[in-house]
Amino acid sequence: MYADQFQIYHGNANPDLARKICRYLGMEPGPVNVFQFANENIFVQILDNVREKDVFIVQPTCSPADGTGDVNRSIMELLIMIDAFKRASAGRITAVIPYYAYGRSDKKDQPRVPITARLVADMISVAGADRVLTMDLHQGQIQGFFNIPVDELTAVHILSNYFKHKYLEDLVVVTDLGFAKRARTFAELLDAPLAIIEKRRVGNLDRAELLNVIGEVRGKRAIIVDDEVDTAGTLIEIVNALAKEGVTEVYACATHGVLSGAAIARIEESMLQELVLTDTVPLPAAKRLGKITTLSIAPLIGEAIKRIHRGESVGALFSSEVEFTQEMLLWEDGVARKLDIRNVQPGQGEDGPDEAGGQDAPESGPDSNGGTGKDGGADGGPSAEGPRDQPGDPKADQPAARLRQLASTGSPEDR
């Protein structure tokens, strides 16, 4: 039986996301050294006692934002960290993998090719992980590649809520057959029809051949929904196809923004109005365009971690508590704000006016022991509004520019 306490550790793939998760939970990441020797061997050393602890390792299998590693190095870091915690007698080890690489290699679609998604799953299990927490796998069948429990979260509710607050009219949601089930949920949340793109993958190229657009899209604003944007070749082909079909505007959203190769140049030169991603994969500064908006899934993962530790339902986040997942925080420029801020004035949090001196800690929230306790002021955990650089200056509490624009727009009823 593992101890009452749980601790979060992370590798080098996406440390910013791990810190945001810890900030949501009101705790600090656990101390651990993870680095590479000159001979390219990876070394891991845990710097505190983890015996019988409930351990969560946050490590998406992607390239770090600083360019010091790659996908395969991130996988090896994860495997070696799992082994280190197992040998340090951790009570339970959960691999938190927001982005699961090699997910598209989930079947034999050509002669004499591997099923690498299964291979990676086997390695994680053999290394010693007790369970996996992940986000929007390329195909749901990948869950069956593991012989340990897998909790798969989805960003569909967060992404749909973002577009809901843009108050766009005459919408149609566009997706391919592989993402159709989750896109249908996305369309229902926006009360919009669904159109399907029929496409066919061309060999091993990072693009697909579009065959047909199934559904009525003429004269509508289209929102393309997918699990991942890699080189953006297929995305731009869909954008161009929709333009030929007579759509007025095209938006796109995806959970994972890999954005490799010429993706940034393609997006910048396209007629795409906006691309909305989450931070499962870190976005380097050189890839941050005005067209790209990043939402954080840190609160969602943090809530799932808390529920796993307590033995509570994770699936309830997307059923009986769907409203919770639709009101996740938007983290932009290090500032945590709820997405729906239309009626919030500068200097006020979502829970009411700030107290004098900038002290506006929530009454209670999750703590590192898995329970809820009183927050001891600003130093006792994250405030209801997120970090503030100048607590004494009400203007420093204003939401980021994009959200101020949304807030000023208001709902159609307010106009």
Side-chain angles (χ1 to χ4, degrees):
M1 181 65 181
Y2 50 85
D4 290 338
Q5 294 183 340
F6 71 91
Q7 188 66 57
I8 295 175
Y9 297 85
H10 64 82
N12 296 313
N14 197 345
D16 287 342
L17 175 59
R19 285 191 284 267
K20 291 176 184 178
I21 295 170
C22 289
R23 190 190 311 171
Y24 172 80
L25 293 171
M27 60 192 300
E28 293 293 327
V32 60
N33 283 334
V34 183
F35 62 89
Q36 183 173 271
F37 288 113
N39 63 358
E40 299 184 358
N41 290 354
I42 296 170
F43 177 79
V44 172
Q45 183 179 21
I46 307 159
L47 301 179
D48 62 359
N49 179 25
V50 296
R51 187 175 297 274
E52 299 305 323
K53 273 190 178 181
D54 195 6
V55 170
F56 294 83
I57 304 173
V58 180
Q59 177 78 345
T61 51
C62 60
S63 299
D66 58 9
T68 57
D70 53 31
V71 170
N72 298 320
R73 175 174 168 180
S74 295
I75 292 174
M76 283 304 301
E77 281 188 5
L78 174 62
L79 298 175
I80 296 172
M81 288 181 73
I82 292 171
D83 184 75
F85 281 100
K86 181 180 69 174
R87 297 180 188 281
S89 301
R92 181 174 65 176
I93 303 170
T94 301
V96 182
I97 313 173
Y99 173 66
Y100 188 82
Y102 291 104
R104 288 191 284 185
S105 179
D106 59 350
K107 57 186 176 295
K108 287 192 66 175
D109 53 359
Q110 301 177 53
R112 298 172 295 282
V113 296
I115 303 179
T116 317
R118 172 61 190 266
L119 174 62
V120 174
D122 287 342
M123 290 192 296
I124 292 170
S125 300
V126 170
D130 295 296
R131 67 186 306 125
V132 169
L133 176 61
T134 187
M135 170 83 66
D136 280 329
L137 295 169
H138 185 65
Q139 293 291 342
Q141 70 200 40
I142 295 175
Q143 294 185 40
F145 292 170
F146 290 88
N147 292 319
I148 55 178
V150 177
D151 292 299
E152 183 186 3
L153 306 177
T154 180
V156 163
H157 299 85
I158 298 174
L159 294 170
S160 64
N161 193 48
Y162 176 83
F163 283 101
K164 184 183 294 185
H165 285 84
K166 291 178 75 70
Y167 300 105
L168 301 174
E169 299 177 350
D170 297 323
L171 288 177
V172 60
V173 175
V174 180
T175 190
D176 60 24
L177 291 171
F179 202 71
K181 184 176 180 180
R182 281 169 285 189
R184 188 178 298 112
T185 301
F186 185 97
E188 289 173 354
L189 291 169
L190 291 179
D191 194 22
L194 181 66
I196 301 295
I197 294 289
E198 186 184 4
K199 66 181 184 181
R200 178 176 59 194
R201 185 67 58 182
V202 182
N204 293 317
L205 301 178
D206 286 321
R207 65 179 183 84
E209 176 186 359
L210 302 187
L211 301 179
N212 199 11
V213 179
I214 305 171
E216 182 57 45
V217 297
R218 185 172 299 277
K220 295 181 180 293
R221 291 185 174 93
I223 302 178
I224 303 169
V225 186
D226 208 344
D227 64 312
E228 176 181 333
V229 177
D230 188 1
T231 62
T234 302
L235 173 63
I236 301 308
E237 285 194 23
I238 295 175
V239 171
N240 296 335
L242 291 173
K244 291 179 182 178
E245 292 292 329
V247 299
T248 58
E249 291 180 346
V250 183
Y251 298 81
C253 63
T255 303
H256 313 296
V258 180
L259 303 182
S260 61
I264 293 298
R266 288 170 176 160
I267 293 168
E268 190 170 22
E269 296 168 2
S270 71
M271 66 168 286
L272 196 64
Q273 296 290 319
E274 184 179 15
L275 173 62
V276 183
L277 304 169
T278 75
D279 57 353
T280 57
V281 177
L283 191 64
K287 295 183 178 181
R288 294 173 187 169
L289 301 177
K291 287 185 176 183
I292 298 178
T293 299
T294 304
L295 309 180
S296 184
I297 42 81
L300 179 58
I301 292 180
E303 188 67 19
I305 287 174
K306 182 179 68 173
R307 287 168 177 262
I308 289 171
H309 175 72
R310 291 178 176 177
E312 298 174 352
S313 171
V314 175
L317 284 172
F318 308 102
S319 54
S320 61
E321 300 182 21
V322 66
E323 185 178 350
F324 173 83
T325 61
Q326 289 181 326
E327 294 181 358
M328 285 297 174
L329 302 179
L330 173 64
W331 298 68
E332 186 173 313
D333 300 327
V335 179
R337 303 292 300 186
K338 282 187 179 178
L339 195 55
D340 188 359
I341 58 166
R342 289 170 291 143
N343 298 319
V344 179
Q345 300 299 321
Q348 289 188 338
E350 288 76 12
D351 51 352
D354 296 342
E355 297 179 9
Q359 300 299 321
D360 191 21
E363 287 298 318
S364 62
D367 55 37
S368 60
N369 294 323
T372 57
K374 294 290 184 180
D375 292 318
D379 294 332
S383 73
E385 304 166 34
R388 297 167 64 177
D389 296 332
Q390 300 175 1
D393 181 9
K395 292 183 179 180
D397 188 39
Q398 293 181 1
R402 177 111 187 127
L403 292 183
R404 286 201 299 271
Q405 181 182 359
L406 293 178
S408 63
T409 302
S411 65
E413 293 77 14
D414 295 332
R415 296 174 191 156

